[in-house]
Coordinates of all heavy atoms in Angstrom, one line a residue:
K390 N 64.5 112.0 34.6 CA 64.2 110.8 33.9 C 62.6 110.6 34.0 O 62.0 110.3 32.9 CB 64.8 109.5 34.5 CG 66.3 109.4 34.3 CD 66.8 108.1 34.9 CE 68.4 108.0 34.7 NZ 68.9 106.8 35.4
S391 N 62.0 110.8 35.1 CA 60.5 110.7 35.2 C 59.9 111.7 34.3 O 58.9 111.4 33.6 CB 60.1 110.9 36.7 OG 60.6 109.9 37.5
A392 N 60.4 113.0 34.3 CA 59.7 114.0 33.5 C 59.8 113.7 32.0 O 58.9 113.9 31.2 CB 60.4 115.4 33.9
E393 N 61.1 113.1 31.7 CA 61.2 113.0 30.2 C 60.3 111.8 29.7 O 59.6 111.9 28.6 CB 62.7 112.6 29.9 CG 62.9 112.4 28.5 CD 62.8 113.5 27.6 OE1 63.1 114.7 28.2 OE2 62.5 113.4 26.5
K394 N 60.1 110.8 30.5 CA 59.2 109.6 30.2 C 57.7 110.1 30.1 O 57.0 109.8 29.2 CB 59.4 108.5 31.3 CG 60.6 107.7 31.1 CD 60.6 106.6 32.2 CE 61.9 105.9 32.1 NZ 62.0 104.8 33.2
M395 N 57.4 111.0 31.1 CA 56.0 111.5 31.2 C 55.8 112.4 30.0 O 54.7 112.3 29.3 CB 55.7 112.3 32.4 CG 54.4 112.9 32.6 SD 54.3 114.0 34.0 CE 53.3 112.8 35.0
F396 N 56.7 113.2 29.6 CA 56.6 114.1 28.5 C 56.4 113.3 27.1 O 55.5 113.5 26.4 CB 57.8 115.0 28.4 CG 57.7 116.0 27.1 CD1 56.9 117.1 27.2 CD2 58.5 115.8 26.0 CE1 56.8 118.0 26.2 CE2 58.5 116.6 25.0 CZ 57.6 117.7 25.0
E397 N 57.3 112.3 26.9 CA 57.1 111.5 25.7 C 55.8 110.7 25.7 O 55.2 110.7 24.7 CB 58.3 110.6 25.7 CG 59.7 111.2 25.4 CD 59.8 111.9 24.1 OE1 59.1 111.4 23.1 OE2 60.3 113.0 24.1
R398 N 55.5 110.1 26.9 CA 54.2 109.4 26.9 C 52.9 110.3 26.6 O 52.1 110.0 25.8 CB 54.0 108.8 28.3 CG 52.7 107.9 28.4 CD 52.7 107.2 29.8 NE 53.1 108.0 30.9 CZ 52.3 108.9 31.6 NH1 51.1 109.0 31.0 NH2 52.8 109.5 32.5
L399 N 53.0 111.5 27.2 CA 51.8 112.4 27.0 C 51.8 112.9 25.5 O 50.7 113.1 24.9 CB 51.9 113.6 27.9 CG 51.6 113.4 29.4 CD1 51.9 114.6 30.2 CD2 50.1 113.0 29.6
T400 N 52.9 113.2 24.9 CA 53.0 113.6 23.5 C 52.4 112.5 22.6 O 51.7 112.9 21.8 CB 54.4 114.0 23.2 OG1 54.9 115.1 24.1 CG2 54.5 114.6 21.9
M401 N 52.8 111.3 22.8 CA 52.4 110.2 22.0 C 51.0 109.9 22.1 O 50.3 109.8 21.2 CB 53.2 109.0 22.3 CG 54.7 109.1 21.9 SD 54.9 109.5 20.1 CE 54.3 108.1 19.3
Q402 N 50.4 109.9 23.3 CA 49.1 109.7 23.7 C 48.2 110.8 23.0 O 47.2 110.5 22.3 CB 48.8 109.5 25.1 CG 49.3 108.2 25.8 CD 49.2 108.3 27.2 OE1 48.8 109.2 27.8 NE2 49.4 107.1 27.8
T403 N 48.6 112.1 23.1 CA 47.8 113.1 22.7 C 47.9 113.1 21.2 O 46.8 113.3 20.5 CB 48.2 114.5 23.1 OG1 48.3 114.4 24.6 CG2 47.4 115.5 22.8
K404 N 48.9 112.8 20.5 CA 49.2 112.7 19.1 C 48.2 111.6 18.6 O 47.5 111.8 17.5 CB 50.5 112.4 18.8 CG 50.9 112.3 17.4 CD 52.4 112.1 17.2 CE 52.7 111.7 15.9 NZ 54.2 111.4 15.7
L405 N 48.1 110.4 19.2 CA 47.2 109.4 18.8 C 45.8 109.8 18.9 O 45.0 109.6 18.1 CB 47.4 108.1 19.5 CG 48.9 107.5 19.1 CD1 49.1 106.2 20.1 CD2 48.9 107.0 17.7
H406 N 45.5 110.4 20.1 CA 44.1 110.8 20.3 C 43.6 111.7 19.4 O 42.4 111.8 19.1 CB 44.0 111.4 21.8 CG 42.6 111.7 22.2 ND1 41.6 110.9 22.5 CD2 42.2 113.0 22.4 CE1 40.5 111.6 22.8 NE2 40.8 112.9 22.8
E407 N 44.3 112.7 18.9 CA 43.9 113.8 18.1 C 44.1 113.5 16.6 O 43.8 114.2 15.7 CB 44.6 115.1 18.4 CG 44.3 115.6 19.7 CD 44.9 117.0 20.1 OE1 45.7 117.6 19.2 OE2 44.8 117.4 21.2
G408 N 44.6 112.3 16.3 CA 44.7 111.7 15.0 C 45.8 112.4 14.1 O 45.7 112.7 12.9
I409 N 46.9 112.9 14.8 CA 48.1 113.5 14.0 C 48.9 112.4 13.4 O 49.4 111.5 14.2 CB 48.9 114.3 15.1 CG1 48.0 115.3 15.8 CG2 50.0 115.0 14.2 CD1 47.4 116.4 15.1
T410 N 48.9 112.2 12.2 CA 49.6 111.2 11.5 C 50.7 111.7 10.5 O 50.9 112.9 10.3 CB 48.5 110.4 10.5 OG1 48.2 111.4 9.5 CG2 47.3 109.9 11.4
E411 N 51.4 110.7 10.0 CA 52.5 111.1 9.1 C 52.0 111.5 7.8 O 52.5 112.3 7.0 CB 53.4 109.8 8.8 CG 54.2 109.4 10.1 CD 55.2 110.6 10.5 OE1 55.8 111.1 9.7 OE2 55.2 110.8 11.7
D412 N 50.6 111.1 7.4 CA 50.1 111.6 6.2 C 49.9 113.2 6.3 O 50.1 113.9 5.4 CB 48.7 111.0 6.0 CG 48.8 109.6 5.7 OD1 49.9 109.2 5.1 OD2 47.8 108.7 5.8
L413 N 49.4 113.6 7.5 CA 49.3 115.2 7.6 C 50.6 115.8 7.5 O 50.7 117.0 6.9 CB 48.6 115.4 9.0 CG 48.5 116.9 9.4 CD1 47.5 117.5 8.5 CD2 48.1 117.1 10.8
K414 N 51.6 115.2 8.0 CA 53.0 115.7 8.0 C 53.5 115.9 6.5 O 54.0 116.8 6.1 CB 53.9 114.9 8.8 CG 55.5 115.4 8.8 CD 56.2 114.6 9.7 CE 57.7 115.0 9.8 NZ 58.5 114.1 10.7
A415 N 53.1 114.8 5.7 CA 53.5 114.8 4.4 C 52.7 115.8 3.5 O 53.2 116.5 2.6 CB 53.4 113.4 3.7
N416 N 51.4 115.9 3.8 CA 50.6 116.8 3.0 C 50.4 118.3 3.4 O 50.3 119.1 2.6 CB 49.1 116.2 3.0 CG 49.0 114.8 2.3 OD1 49.9 114.6 1.4 ND2 48.3 114.0 2.8
N417 N 50.5 118.4 4.7 CA 50.3 119.8 5.2 C 51.3 120.1 6.4 O 50.9 119.9 7.6 CB 48.9 120.1 5.7 CG 48.7 121.6 5.9 OD1 49.6 122.4 6.1 ND2 47.4 121.9 6.0
Q418 N 52.5 120.3 6.0 CA 53.7 120.3 7.1 C 53.4 121.5 8.1 O 53.6 121.4 9.3 CB 54.9 120.6 6.5 CG 55.5 119.4 5.7 CD 56.7 119.7 5.0 OE1 57.4 120.8 5.1 NE2 57.2 118.6 4.3
L419 N 52.9 122.7 7.7 CA 52.6 123.8 8.6 C 51.5 123.4 9.6 O 51.6 123.8 10.8 CB 52.2 125.0 7.8 CG 53.4 125.7 7.1 CD1 52.9 126.9 6.3 CD2 54.6 126.0 8.0
E420 N 50.5 122.8 9.1 CA 49.3 122.4 10.1 C 49.9 121.3 11.0 O 49.6 121.4 12.2 CB 48.2 121.8 9.3 CG 47.0 121.4 10.2 CD 46.5 122.5 11.1 OE1 46.6 123.7 10.6 OE2 45.8 122.1 11.9
W421 N 50.7 120.4 10.6 CA 51.3 119.4 11.5 C 52.2 120.0 12.5 O 52.2 119.6 13.7 CB 52.2 118.5 10.6 CG 52.8 117.3 11.4 CD1 52.2 116.1 11.8 CD2 54.1 117.3 11.9 NE1 53.2 115.4 12.5 CE2 54.3 116.0 12.7 CE3 55.1 118.1 11.9 CZ2 55.4 115.7 13.4 CZ3 56.4 117.8 12.6 CH2 56.4 116.6 13.2
V422 N 53.1 121.0 12.1 CA 54.0 121.7 13.1 C 53.2 122.4 14.1 O 53.5 122.4 15.3 CB 54.9 122.7 12.3 CG1 55.6 123.5 13.3 CG2 55.9 121.9 11.5
R423 N 52.0 123.1 13.6 CA 51.1 123.9 14.5 C 50.5 123.0 15.6 O 50.6 123.2 16.8 CB 50.1 124.6 13.8 CG 49.2 125.5 14.6 CD 48.0 126.0 13.9 NE 47.0 125.0 13.4 CZ 46.1 124.4 14.4 NH1 46.1 124.7 15.6 NH2 45.3 123.5 13.9
Q424 N 50.1 121.8 15.1 CA 49.4 120.9 16.1 C 50.4 120.3 17.0 O 50.1 120.0 18.2 CB 48.6 119.8 15.3 CG 47.4 120.4 14.6 CD 46.5 119.3 14.0 OE1 46.6 118.1 14.2 NE2 45.6 119.8 13.2
M425 N 51.5 119.8 16.5 CA 52.6 119.2 17.3 C 53.1 120.2 18.4 O 53.4 119.9 19.5 CB 53.9 118.7 16.5 CG 53.4 117.4 15.8 SD 52.9 116.1 16.8 CE 54.3 115.7 17.8
N426 N 53.3 121.6 17.9 CA 53.7 122.5 19.0 C 52.7 122.6 20.1 O 53.0 122.9 21.2 CB 54.0 123.8 18.2 CG 55.3 123.9 17.6 OD1 56.2 123.1 17.8 ND2 55.4 124.8 16.7
S427 N 51.4 122.7 19.7 CA 50.3 122.7 20.7 C 50.4 121.5 21.6 O 50.3 121.7 22.8 CB 49.0 122.8 20.0 OG 47.9 122.6 20.9
I428 N 50.6 120.3 21.1 CA 50.6 119.2 22.0 C 51.8 119.1 22.8 O 51.7 118.9 24.1 CB 50.7 117.9 21.0 CG1 49.4 117.6 20.4 CG2 51.2 116.7 21.8 CD1 49.3 116.6 19.2
R429 N 53.0 119.6 22.3 CA 54.2 119.6 23.2 C 54.0 120.7 24.3 O 54.5 120.5 25.3 CB 55.4 120.0 22.4 CG 55.9 118.8 21.4 CD 57.0 119.2 20.5 NE 58.2 119.7 21.2 CZ 59.0 118.9 21.7 NH1 59.0 117.6 21.6 NH2 60.1 119.5 22.4
S430 N 53.4 121.8 24.0 CA 53.2 122.9 24.9 C 52.3 122.5 26.1 O 52.6 122.7 27.3 CB 52.5 124.1 24.3 OG 52.4 125.1 25.2
R431 N 51.2 121.7 25.7 CA 50.3 121.2 26.8 C 51.0 120.1 27.6 O 50.8 120.0 28.8 CB 49.1 120.6 26.1 CG 48.1 121.7 25.5 CD 46.9 121.1 24.9 NE 47.2 120.7 23.5 CZ 46.5 119.8 22.8 NH1 45.5 119.2 23.4 NH2 46.9 119.6 21.6
A432 N 51.8 119.3 27.0 CA 52.5 118.2 27.7 C 53.5 118.9 28.7 O 53.7 118.3 29.8 CB 53.2 117.2 26.6

Side-chain angles (χ1 to χ4, degrees):
K390 287 179 183 178
S391 298
E393 186 63 34
K394 286 179 186 177
M395 178 185 257
F396 177 75
E397 291 297 323
R398 182 177 40 82
L399 287 170
T400 302
M401 291 305 292
Q402 287 176 348
T403 308
K404 184 177 163 183
L405 291 174
H406 178 72
E407 295 182 5
I409 310 300
T410 63
E411 292 298 314
D412 290 337
L413 178 62
K414 185 177 180 181
N416 296 330
N417 192 347
Q418 291 178 356
L419 289 177
E420 180 63 20
W421 181 84
V422 168
R423 184 188 67 76
Q424 290 186 12
M425 287 303 295
N426 284 342
S427 173
I428 289 170
R429 290 177 55 87
S430 178
R431 287 181 279 160

